[in-house]
Amino acid sequence: MFKILKKEKLAPLVFGFEIEAPEIARKAKPGQFVVLRIDELGERIPLTIYDFNEKNSSISLIFQEVGKTTRQLASLSRGDFIGDVVGPLGKPSEIKNFGTVVCVAGGVGAAVIFPIARALKKAGNRVITILGARNKELLILEKELSSISDDFFITTDDGSKGKCGVCTDILEGLIEGGQEINRVIAVGPAIMMKFVCETTRPHGIKMIVSLNSIMVDGTGMCGSCRVTVGGETKFCCVDGPEFDGHLVDFDELMNRQKMYLEEENTSLKEHEAKELKKGKCGCKRDK
Amino acid sequence: MKKNNQRSIPKRVPMREQSAKERALNFNEVALGYGPEEAVAEASRCLQCKSAPCMRGCPVEVDIPSFVSLIAEGDFDAAIKKIKEKNCLPAICGRVCPQENQCEKFCTLSKKGEPLAIGRLEKFVADHERESGKISLPKKKGPTNKKVAVIGSGPAGLACAGDLAKLGHSVTIFEALHKSGGVLAYGIPEFRLPKTVVEKEIDFIKKLGAEIKTNIVIGKTKMIDELFSEGYDAVFLGTGAGLPRFLRVPGENLNGVYSANEFLTRANLMKAYLFPKYDTPIKRGENVVVVGGGNVAMDSARTALRLGAKNVYLLYRRTEEEMPARREEVQHAKEEGIKFRILATPKRFIGVDGWITAVECIKTRLGEPDESGRRKPVIKEGSDFLLPADVVIIAIGTMANPVLLEATPDIELNGKGYIAVKKNFRTSKEGVFAGGDITTGSATVILAIGTGKTAALEINNYLLT
């Protein structure tokens, strides 16, 4: 059992947990993830490790409520327990002094980018961060990211904060403005990562993405997370989650992410019906 | 019951099982097993051969004539004790061992008729003990103050841990998943091996003194060298060969195409057949194509059927003769209505909007024998045909999982990528032993148990000298 030490609401439907997990905290590196299962009836879902604190024996996770499992997770409070957490899984990010690195984060992708950007900064890179979201309410980790970035940009789809538009607008501007860029790392929705890759491709800039495919065990056992990279099938959990973005088949990834949409809806509806019976629903908690 | 000096040998006592029609709709165990009278009758068929040829076929050297004679006398408690002297997991072995290729193959009775049903008798006494709730513990040696880490809680790890604990060592098993049992938990379906049976046998290993830590991936959460610095004196690797193989033909990543490992893990470990009570989803296909001819292929096909498929096709590139699956499993699958399409292999997977709709297959014929001694399938050009499919399950075997091996480059591998071990189960790394599928490639539960047990003796020698 893994104790929730701290809970924070970062944006509507976005939560942060600090979880007691000494063994994972000792080993975690930027770019790695955990797989968790809330209870006996639960499914196993991967979540990126946002931060790790060896002294506190804890790891931090950030997640967005999208389906039944994440909604149930969001209903837990400080002092509650999560049944199973295993990790750190996946290969850590490559951290070296590359020169100038642009980190592009979309939505909760900011949680994945943060430890990577921080490590890259520490390794001597000039770090430029572009943080994007649909609107200003959905921007997370603004302070944290800006504090470790040499240059920091915000974009929102509706223009409620920063530049009105999408991340790639800023990235294009940087490239066209002659900014020397040695590497771009993008984390966010698959469609956003795809567009970032298309932006850097003509310029031959090294492009890294962190993929969020569906997983079960997270240790290479099932192949649920397979993704085509450079024409070869790779397992996101053990070969990734980071890959050369220019080689990833994003259309296949997006298709595979939709595999259980129908079942996810069924599951969520059942859960909502149960919550209603108990007299609590998501809307009340949000207030 | 007459003694065995009679001329004509009585026929093998049949075992009751759920009818094919009934069981194809539920996940309950197919085999209902013997009752006490049936067990005594079957056990009385044993000729008690002095040379005990049956024992030659048992990878863990169970004293078969003795336990059978105890059953014939009606002393079931003593019979199970006798088995447990050699085998800590009898309820599992009684169900999933390929006895027809082992103990029963050498049974003298088989020369004139059907061999003694040794597996069914083992299952009977193991179930009898479990259901009675009186589980006796064998004598343990005094503590040696030596600590052993066992990596993986599948058959090899459990057997090794059980024997090491009996020898007085302090044993900790590390399991990557949230539940222990390895392939017994995630792979073999409920209808062949009920999970309560697995849990009870694992409880027995714990009662012997082994501790199990779940959610720890050795090679990620903890390294082997750390185990030594934490005071472990030896390490046994029984991690299995769990990385699924794919066919590498076009369309394999379409939605609806599963590895058998994923399909079975969802169904068995995560209980997706009880979705939405359990959260893990699984695609319930109407037309399901399973590729492969081993036990895992049979398990996948029969699971898909129980999930409500109208048609389940089993596509195998050789003939039934060459299928690695147990005869009994093939028989069960056929009875339940699995449609065998032998001498054919997938050429590509066809999809619409990203979802599998059909498998384009091509017929094969048998050519010259390959290195496994089986005749190699040869493609018959121009013999393409289509099978409709909304779920496809690839069950063509597994390879070594890279996680632990990449984290421990000082452990040497063999030509096939599995851990290279010497006769005494030692790896190239001091104090590290290995057994089960990670050394042999995909094999059987009992073979893994056998290597786990022998490795336990070698580890014992290593620790005490």
Side-chain angles (χ1 to χ4, degrees):
Chain A
M1 299 285 271
F2 295 79
K3 194 176 182 180
I4 300 170
L5 302 172
K6 210 168 129 190
K7 180 185 180 183
E8 227 182 321
K9 185 167 179 177
L10 304 170
L13 303 181
V14 180
F15 298 87
F17 276 168
E18 191 179 330
I19 294 168
E20 190 172 39
E23 276 164 326
I24 305 174
R26 212 174 297 143
K27 281 288 172 346
K29 292 200 175 72
Q32 291 188 296
F33 63 93
V34 294
V35 164
L36 66 79
R37 189 179 76 133
I38 302 175
D39 56 28
E40 266 315 297
L41 303 178
E43 63 178 336
R44 294 172 64 102
I45 59 160
L47 286 178
T48 303
I49 304 168
Y50 154 66
D51 204 358
F52 32 90
N53 189 327
E54 208 187 319
K55 248 194 264 157
N56 290 359
S57 302
S58 70
I59 56 167
S60 300
L61 307 174
I62 289 176
F63 64 94
Q64 186 171 15
E65 241 188 85
V66 285
K68 190 256 170 178
T69 298
T70 42
R71 171 160 314 179
Q72 190 187 347
L73 198 59
S75 73
L76 300 178
S77 320
R78 192 171 71 123
D80 287 345
F81 288 87
I82 296 171
D84 303 285
V85 182
V86 61
L89 301 174
K91 294 201 160 115
S93 306
E94 191 187 358
I95 304 294
K96 270 203 298 210
N97 190 350
F98 300 106
T100 299
V101 182
V102 179
C103 296
V104 187
V108 276
V112 184
I113 278 280
F114 173 72
I116 302 172
R118 184 176 57 183
L120 285 168
K121 176 71 192 161
K122 216 174 152 192
N125 292 279
R126 182 175 145 74
V127 174
I128 302 173
T129 302
I130 307 170
L131 175 64
R134 282 206 311 275
N135 58 50
K136 76 170 184 200
E137 275 77 42
L138 297 175
L139 286 167
I140 60 164
L141 304 176
E142 201 185 312
K143 232 180 21 203
E144 289 80 355
L145 279 167
S146 78
S147 73
I148 49 132
S149 303
D150 296 281
D151 266 315
F152 182 67
F153 301 93
I154 286 177
T155 65
T156 48
D157 295 4
D158 65 354
S160 51
K161 187 154 191 186
K163 191 175 156 41
C164 178
V166 288
C167 303
T168 44
D169 300 342
I170 305 265
L171 182 60
E172 247 162 45
L174 288 173
I175 296 170
E176 265 149 38
Q179 168 71 52
E180 196 202 338
I181 299 171
N182 304 94
R183 173 175 285 234
V184 174
I185 303 172
V187 190
I191 186 75
M192 165 253 171
M193 291 192 278
K194 181 182 171 175
F195 281 114
V196 175
C197 292
E198 289 319 311
T199 307
T200 54
R201 192 192 302 273
H203 305 282
I205 302 170
K206 178 80 181 170
M207 181 75 233
I208 302 292
V209 290
S210 178
L211 305 183
N212 46 347
S213 52
I214 297 174
M215 293 185 190
V216 183
D217 63 293
T219 62
M221 201 183 90
C222 82
S224 169
C225 64
R226 58 196 195 276
V227 49
T228 302
V229 182
E232 258 182 74
T233 294
K234 298 275 180 194
F235 287 8
C236 195
C237 64
V238 289
D239 300 319
E242 289 179 19
F243 293 102
D244 181 334
H246 292 145
L247 299 177
V248 171
D249 183 340
F250 281 103
D251 296 336
E252 181 188 274
L253 174 72
M254 286 185 270
N255 185 56
R256 289 186 64 81
Q257 285 174 337
K258 285 189 290 202
M259 181 126 160
Y260 296 104
L261 277 186
E262 206 182 298
E263 289 82 357
E264 279 162 22
N265 275 329
T266 309
S267 201
L268 188 58
K269 272 190 198 136
E270 289 254 330
H271 185 68
E272 278 171 352
K274 266 189 220 155
E275 278 185 332
L276 262 170
K277 251 191 191 167
K278 280 191 212 154
K280 52 176 186 182
C281 66
C283 55
K284 267 188 198 161
R285 197 193 51 243
D286 266 7
K287 281 171 195 168
Chain B
M1 188 56 57
K2 282 183 206 158
K3 271 284 154 198
N4 51 28
N5 54 4
Q6 63 208 1
R7 277 290 159 88
S8 72
I9 299 153
K11 277 202 159 172
R12 186 181 232 208
V13 179
M15 178 172 60
R16 285 165 295 127
E17 47 185 44
Q18 286 196 76
S19 76
K21 215 172 145 189
E22 186 187 358
R23 70 185 189 236
L25 302 171
N26 68 51
F27 276 85
N28 301 335
E29 191 172 12
V30 170
L32 300 171
Y34 283 153
E37 278 163 26
E38 290 161 311
V40 170
E42 179 61 22
S44 307
R45 291 175 69 225
C46 178
L47 301 173
Q48 291 291 320
C49 312
K50 277 225 168 66
S51 59
C54 48
M55 286 178 66
R56 260 192 290 145
C58 179
V60 299
E61 299 164 334
V62 168
D63 184 349
I64 296 167
S66 299
F67 99 75
V68 172
S69 118
L70 288 164
I71 294 179
E73 289 162 21
D75 192 349
F76 305 144
D77 294 345
I80 188 65
K81 265 189 203 154
K82 185 49 81 182
I83 295 176
K84 280 189 166 173
E85 283 173 11
K86 294 287 183 181
N87 185 359
C88 301
L89 308 165
I92 293 169
C93 291
R95 286 171 165 85
V96 302
C97 265
Q99 290 100 7
E100 63 279 10
N101 294 325
Q102 296 175 346
C103 49
E104 295 178 12
K105 184 178 173 181
F106 298 98
C107 175
T108 311
L109 287 175
S110 66
K111 287 178 187 149
K112 286 205 166 164
E114 279 193 286
L116 186 72
I118 299 166
R120 295 174 184 178
L121 291 172
E122 183 181 30
K123 170 175 155 40
F124 165 74
V125 276
D127 290 352
H128 176 83
E129 185 194 39
R130 190 181 63 255
E131 282 154 18
S132 75
K134 290 184 295 182
I135 294 179
S136 61
L137 283 177
K139 270 208 181 116
K140 268 179 69 171
K141 288 210 170 143
T144 58
N145 296 320
K146 298 282 183 188
K147 276 172 76 179
V148 186
V150 170
I151 319 306
S153 66
L158 288 173
C160 186
D163 280 15
L164 285 168
K166 278 200 268 184
L167 290 164
H169 305 299
S170 152
V171 185
T172 308
I173 304 178
F174 294 94
E175 167 57 47
L177 289 169
H178 57 263
K179 197 170 176 61
S180 43
V183 74
L184 308 169
Y186 74 76
I188 305 178
E190 180 76 17
F191 56 83
R192 210 149 70 79
L193 180 63
K195 299 310 140 206
T196 48
V197 171
V198 178
E199 278 159 24
K200 274 281 150 62
E201 300 232 304
I202 293 174
D203 274 352
F204 179 71
I205 304 290
K206 286 193 209 161
K207 282 197 183 121
L208 288 173
E211 187 193 359
I212 303 184
K213 289 190 172 174
T214 52
N215 293 321
I216 295 191
V217 184
I218 301 297
K220 289 284 182 193
T221 320
K222 223 183 243 296
M223 302 298 156
I224 289 177
D225 286 332
E226 282 173 275
L227 293 170
F228 286 115
S229 57
E230 282 174 20
Y232 287 94
D233 302 290
V235 174
F236 174 76
L237 307 175
T239 54
L243 193 82
R245 262 181 219 277
F246 285 93
L247 290 153
R248 299 179 186 277
V249 300
E252 200 160 27
N253 293 344
L254 284 165
N255 286 355
V257 182
Y258 286 99
S259 74
N261 260 12
E262 181 184 355
F263 192 76
L264 293 174
T265 298
R266 284 180 182 273
N268 300 327
L269 179 73
M270 306 310 296
K271 301 214 184 306
Y273 66 94
L274 299 173
F275 177 87
K277 185 186 170 205
Y278 282 77
D279 290 339
T280 305
I282 194 163
K283 285 288 165 199
R284 291 168 180 258
E286 208 161 278
N287 295 300
V288 179
V289 174
V290 179
V291 184
N295 287 321
V296 175
M298 300 303 149
D299 285 344
S300 304
R302 297 170 71 196
T303 299
L305 189 76
R306 284 160 173 76
L307 285 170
K310 276 197 189 133
N311 297 298
V312 181
Y313 302 98
L314 190 118
L315 200 63
Y316 182 56
R317 59 190 186 141
R318 293 182 166 105
T319 70
E320 230 179 282
E321 198 66 16
E322 288 83 16
M323 279 186 181
R326 291 181 70 186
R327 292 301 104 191
E328 185 183 293
E329 302 308 323
V330 171
Q331 200 50 42
H332 276 149
K334 282 185 157 177
E335 285 166 12
E336 290 167 12
I338 307 296
K339 300 177 169 80
F340 282 49
R341 295 286 181 269
I342 54 158
L343 289 171
T345 191
K347 207 171 149 190
R348 68 184 175 114
F349 298 103
I350 301 170
V352 174
D353 296 333
W355 291 84
I356 180 87
T357 54
V359 185
E360 188 178 319
C361 313
I362 188 155
K363 290 187 178 161
T364 56
R365 61 176 175 79
L366 291 183
E368 295 301 306
D370 63 10
E371 71 261 31
S372 74
R374 294 179 303 175
R375 292 175 65 193
K376 215 175 166 168
V378 184
I379 300 271
K380 276 164 113 177
E381 290 301 338
S383 64
D384 308 26
F385 65 100
L386 281 184
L387 277 180
D390 46 6
V391 165
V392 168
I393 304 160
I394 317 281
I396 57 166
T398 54
M399 303 178 282
N401 185 301
V403 170
L404 176 68
L405 308 180
E406 280 175 9
T408 323
D410 47 342
I411 292 180
E412 278 172 28
L413 307 181
N414 64 25
K416 287 183 172 165
Y418 300 107
I419 294 176
V421 281
K422 294 171 202 127
K423 270 208 176 116
N424 51 14
F425 294 92
R426 288 191 190 204
T427 68
S428 56
K429 191 172 168 74
E430 176 67 25
V432 180
F433 298 73
D437 281 6
I438 192 59
T439 60
T440 58
S442 312
T444 59
V445 168
I446 189 67
L447 219 62
I449 292 177
T451 59
K453 285 179 68 73
T454 322
L457 288 178
E458 295 292 347
I459 294 169
N460 186 56
N461 288 340
Y462 171 78
L463 292 173
L464 301 181
T465 49

